Amino acid sequence: MAKKRPQTKAKQPQLKDGEIPVVGAREPCPCGSGRRYKACHGRAAAHAVTELVRRPFESLPSEGDWVALRELVPAATVELKLKESLPEGVPSVTLATVLPMAWPALRRDDGSVLLGLQNDTASGDISRDLADTLQRALTAEPGTPVEGRRAPADGPRLQDLLDPEGAFEPVVHSGFEFWVPDAENATPEVTASLERANAAAIPTVKLAGVDAAYWCETPDKNHLRWVMPHPEEQLLDALARLHAAGRSSLGEGTRLVGSFRAHGLTVPVWDLPTGVTADDIEKPATEFAERLATALATDAPLTADERRARGGLTNRQVTLS
């Protein structure tokens, strides 16, 4: 009898990276390597999803206000304009700091969409997660919330969906009545939820004379938190120059106390006396912006006093995200 020839398995066609579909982590990788997906092309996909985007709102109109509404402002809304026309039956899209039950988004009974900004996100790119939620909200059934999920690694970002020329004009609210169209006739459960949310909201006002600056009131003292777009090292040098010269305050009794880092931007913070209102701080903030512009334009080495001032500011800096 003739010997049987050993059988050979036909090689699977090798797919290009862009053609490889997503499968379960323990399933064979569709590329034909023979390895599990999680140990092959799934590794790069997982990294793409979890890699932190340092400035997720970069290139969006009013990046500083996006950061402020994400991290600092309790209750605010902004009308969003998309690059493409809205789908039929969707009269408007509104960004909101927080939605009831911490929903990522809500399609109201009238078809309008509310997109929540302060929710936890599943990946390292807040912009991609929000864009995914927005797309699903546009096609959700009216009267239903949109649940959170991990956005596809190759999905669009807000920068792909929003009109770059569209105005971004936050409206800061004293409470969360914008959750429901008719708060006076809301159910007892909704009324109770609104009361709890309103009780926790810190009174906040957006300054009109400068960009992305927000006054807030706390029991002990008031504050001004100002999101600035300048490169961090250059901004800290400029603040140090002003601080060492005694020109970093916003008037009598006020004090620059430090800064936050949030989504790639720096947020200087001033303590204000309890009696100082948002209106009171408008003119001093505008005057400070002029002093800061001059300091930012200076490239001379820091003096010893300025270096000490910079060290103090740096030591009091914290990172929110």
Side-chain angles (χ1 to χ4, degrees), residues 48-54 56 121-127 129 150:
V49 169
T50 58
E51 187 176 11
L52 179 65
V53 175
R54 184 170 174 266
T121 53
S123 79
D125 187 352
I126 296 170
S127 178
D129 287 332
R150 174 171 287 183

Side-chain angles (χ1 to χ4, degrees), residues 51-87:
E51 187 176 11
L52 179 65
V53 175
R54 184 170 174 266
R55 289 178 62 179
F57 307 116
E58 186 176 14
S59 80
L60 287 173
S62 304
E63 180 186 5
D65 285 311
W66 277 94
V67 172
L69 267 58
R70 167 75 183 182
E71 298 294 342
L72 306 175
V73 181
T77 55
V78 186
E79 294 297 315
L80 298 180
K81 183 179 180 183
L82 276 58
K83 287 182 179 179
E84 305 294 336
S85 58
L86 292 174

Side-chain angles (χ1 to χ4, degrees), residues 14 63 96 141 183 189 204 246 250 252 267 288 294 301:
Q14 297 296 306
E63 180 186 5
E141 289 294 324
E189 291 80 5
T204 301
L250 298 175
E252 185 178 355
V267 188
F288 177 85
T294 300

Side-chain angles (χ1 to χ4, degrees), residues 133-177:
T133 300
L134 174 56
Q135 284 189 313
R136 291 185 290 125
L138 292 172
T139 58
E141 289 294 324
T144 60
V146 176
E147 301 295 335
R149 73 170 188 183
R150 174 171 287 183
D154 59 351
R157 308 177 73 236
L158 287 175
Q159 289 82 346
D160 301 315
L161 302 183
L162 300 183
D163 184 353
E165 303 299 325
F168 190 86
E169 300 175 348
V171 177
V172 179
H173 304 276
S174 59
F176 295 90
E177 282 73 18

Side-chain angles (χ1 to χ4, degrees), residues 80-129:
L80 298 180
K81 183 179 180 183
L82 276 58
K83 287 182 179 179
E84 305 294 336
S85 58
L86 292 174
E88 184 177 356
V90 180
S92 63
V93 175
T94 302
L95 182 73
T97 48
V98 180
L99 293 179
M101 309 298 293
W103 287 325
L106 172 65
R107 181 91 184 273
R108 281 178 161 164
D109 290 335
D110 66 356
S112 60
V113 168
L114 289 177
L115 176 66
L117 181 58
Q118 294 184 9
N119 299 82
D120 293 334
T121 53
S123 79
D125 187 352
I126 296 170
S127 178
R128 197 179 308 282
D129 287 332

Side-chain angles (χ1 to χ4, degrees), residues 1 119 156 204 207 229 249:
M1 294 179 61
N119 299 82
T204 301
L207 298 194
S249 76

Side-chain angles (χ1 to χ4, degrees), residues 222-287:
N222 298 341
H223 304 280
L224 182 71
R225 300 178 290 189
W226 191 341
V227 186
M228 296 187 172
H230 317 291
E232 181 179 349
E233 296 302 314
Q234 182 186 9
L235 176 59
L236 289 175
D237 281 354
L239 292 174
R241 296 181 197 279
L242 295 176
H243 202 59
R247 306 184 69 204
S248 64
S249 76
L250 298 175
E252 185 178 355
T254 70
R255 186 167 68 98
L256 175 64
V257 292
S259 63
F260 300 108
R261 286 191 195 96
H263 305 293
L265 299 185
T266 303
V267 188
V269 178
W270 285 262
D271 279 352
L272 313 173
T274 301
V276 173
T277 66
D279 287 340
D280 295 332
I281 214 68
E282 285 279 5
K283 183 179 179 181
T286 300
E287 293 171 347

